[in-house]
Coordinates of all heavy atoms in Angstrom, one line a residue:
L39 N 80.7 122.1 95.8 CA 82.0 122.4 96.5 C 83.1 122.7 95.5 O 84.0 123.5 95.7 CB 82.4 121.2 97.4 CG 81.6 121.1 98.7 CD1 82.0 119.8 99.4 CD2 81.7 122.3 99.6
L40 N 83.1 121.9 94.4 CA 84.1 122.1 93.3 C 84.0 123.5 92.7 O 85.1 124.2 92.5 CB 84.0 121.1 92.2 CG 85.0 121.2 91.1 CD1 86.4 120.8 91.5 CD2 84.5 120.3 89.9
A41 N 82.8 124.0 92.5 CA 82.6 125.3 91.9 C 83.2 126.4 92.8 O 83.9 127.3 92.3 CB 81.1 125.6 91.7
F42 N 82.9 126.3 94.1 CA 83.5 127.2 95.1 C 85.0 127.0 95.2 O 85.8 128.0 95.3 CB 82.8 127.1 96.4 CG 81.5 127.8 96.5 CD1 80.3 127.0 96.4 CD2 81.3 129.1 96.6 CE1 79.1 127.6 96.5 CE2 80.1 129.7 96.6 CZ 78.9 128.9 96.6
G43 N 85.4 125.7 95.2 CA 86.8 125.4 95.4 C 87.8 125.9 94.4 O 88.9 126.3 94.7
V44 N 87.3 126.0 93.1 CA 88.2 126.5 92.1 C 88.2 128.0 91.9 O 89.1 128.6 91.3 CB 87.9 125.9 90.7 CG1 88.0 124.4 90.7 CG2 86.5 126.3 90.2
L45 N 87.2 128.7 92.6 CA 87.1 130.1 92.5 C 87.7 130.8 93.8 O 88.2 131.9 93.7 CB 85.7 130.5 92.3 CG 85.0 130.1 90.9 CD1 83.5 130.4 90.9 CD2 85.7 130.8 89.8
V46 N 87.5 130.2 94.9 CA 87.9 130.8 96.2 C 89.4 130.7 96.3 O 90.0 129.7 95.8 CB 87.2 130.1 97.4 CG1 87.8 130.6 98.7 CG2 85.7 130.3 97.3
P47 N 90.1 131.7 96.8 CA 91.6 131.6 97.0 C 92.1 130.3 97.7 O 91.5 129.9 98.7 CB 91.9 132.9 97.9 CG 90.8 133.8 97.5 CD 89.6 133.0 97.3
A48 N 93.1 129.7 97.1 CA 93.6 128.4 97.5 C 95.0 128.5 98.1 O 95.4 127.6 98.8 CB 93.5 127.4 96.4
L49 N 95.8 129.5 97.6 CA 97.2 129.6 98.0 C 97.7 131.0 98.0 O 97.3 131.8 97.2 CB 98.1 128.8 97.0 CG 99.6 128.8 97.2 CD1 99.9 127.9 98.5 CD2 100.3 128.2 96.0
T50 N 98.5 131.4 99.0 CA 99.0 132.7 99.1 C 100.6 132.6 99.3 O 101.1 131.8 100.1 CB 98.5 133.5 100.3 OG1 97.1 133.7 100.1 CG2 99.2 134.8 100.5
F51 N 101.3 133.4 98.5 CA 102.7 133.5 98.6 C 103.0 134.8 99.4 O 102.5 135.9 98.9 CB 103.4 133.6 97.3 CG 103.5 132.3 96.6 CD1 102.8 132.0 95.4 CD2 104.4 131.3 97.0 CE1 102.9 130.8 94.8 CE2 104.5 130.1 96.4 CZ 103.7 129.8 95.3
E52 N 103.7 134.8 100.5 CA 104.0 136.0 101.3 C 105.4 136.3 101.1 O 106.3 135.4 101.2 CB 103.7 135.7 102.8 CG 102.2 135.4 103.1 CD 102.0 135.1 104.6 OE1 103.0 134.6 105.2 OE2 100.9 135.3 105.1
N53 N 105.7 137.6 101.0 CA 107.1 138.1 101.0 C 107.2 139.5 101.6 O 106.2 140.0 102.1 CB 107.8 138.0 99.6 CG 107.0 138.8 98.6 OD1 106.6 139.9 98.8 ND2 106.7 138.2 97.5
L54 N 108.4 140.1 101.6 CA 108.6 141.4 102.2 C 107.7 142.5 101.6 O 107.3 143.4 102.3 CB 110.1 141.8 102.1 CG 111.0 141.2 103.2 CD1 112.4 141.6 102.8 CD2 110.6 141.7 104.6
F55 N 107.5 142.4 100.3 CA 106.9 143.5 99.6 C 105.4 143.3 99.3 O 104.7 144.3 99.3 CB 107.7 143.7 98.2 CG 109.2 143.7 98.4 CD1 110.0 142.7 98.1 CD2 109.7 144.9 98.9 CE1 111.3 142.7 98.3 CE2 111.1 145.0 99.1 CZ 111.9 143.9 98.8
A56 N 104.9 142.1 99.1 CA 103.5 142.0 98.7 C 103.1 140.5 98.9 O 104.0 139.6 98.9 CB 103.3 142.4 97.3
D57 N 101.8 140.3 99.0 CA 101.3 138.9 99.0 C 100.6 138.7 97.7 O 99.8 139.5 97.2 CB 100.3 138.8 100.2 CG 101.0 138.9 101.5 OD1 102.2 138.9 101.6 OD2 100.2 139.1 102.5
D58 N 100.8 137.5 97.1 CA 100.1 137.0 95.9 C 99.2 135.9 96.3 O 99.7 134.9 96.8 CB 101.2 136.6 94.8 CG 102.0 137.8 94.3 OD1 101.4 138.9 94.2 OD2 103.2 137.6 94.1
T59 N 98.0 136.0 96.0 CA 97.0 135.0 96.3 C 96.4 134.4 95.0 O 96.1 135.2 94.1 CB 95.8 135.6 97.2 OG1 96.4 136.0 98.4 CG2 94.8 134.5 97.5
F60 N 96.3 133.1 95.0 CA 95.8 132.4 93.8 C 94.7 131.5 94.2 O 94.7 130.8 95.2 CB 96.9 131.6 93.1 CG 98.1 132.3 92.7 CD1 99.2 132.5 93.6 CD2 98.2 132.9 91.4 CE1 100.3 133.3 93.2 CE2 99.3 133.6 91.0 CZ 100.4 133.8 91.9
S61 N 93.7 131.4 93.3 CA 92.7 130.3 93.3 C 93.2 129.2 92.4 O 94.2 129.3 91.7 CB 91.3 130.8 92.9 OG 91.4 131.1 91.5
V62 N 92.5 128.1 92.4 CA 92.9 127.0 91.5 C 92.9 127.5 90.0 O 93.8 127.2 89.2 CB 91.9 125.8 91.6 CG1 92.2 124.7 90.5 CG2 92.1 125.1 93.0

Side-chain angles (χ1 to χ4, degrees):
L39 289 174
L40 178 70
F42 284 102
V44 299
L45 294 173
V46 174
L49 179 70
T50 294
F51 287 110
E52 298 178 334
N53 55 50
L54 277 174
F55 308 103
D57 294 346
D58 293 321
T59 299
F60 300 91
S61 67
V62 171

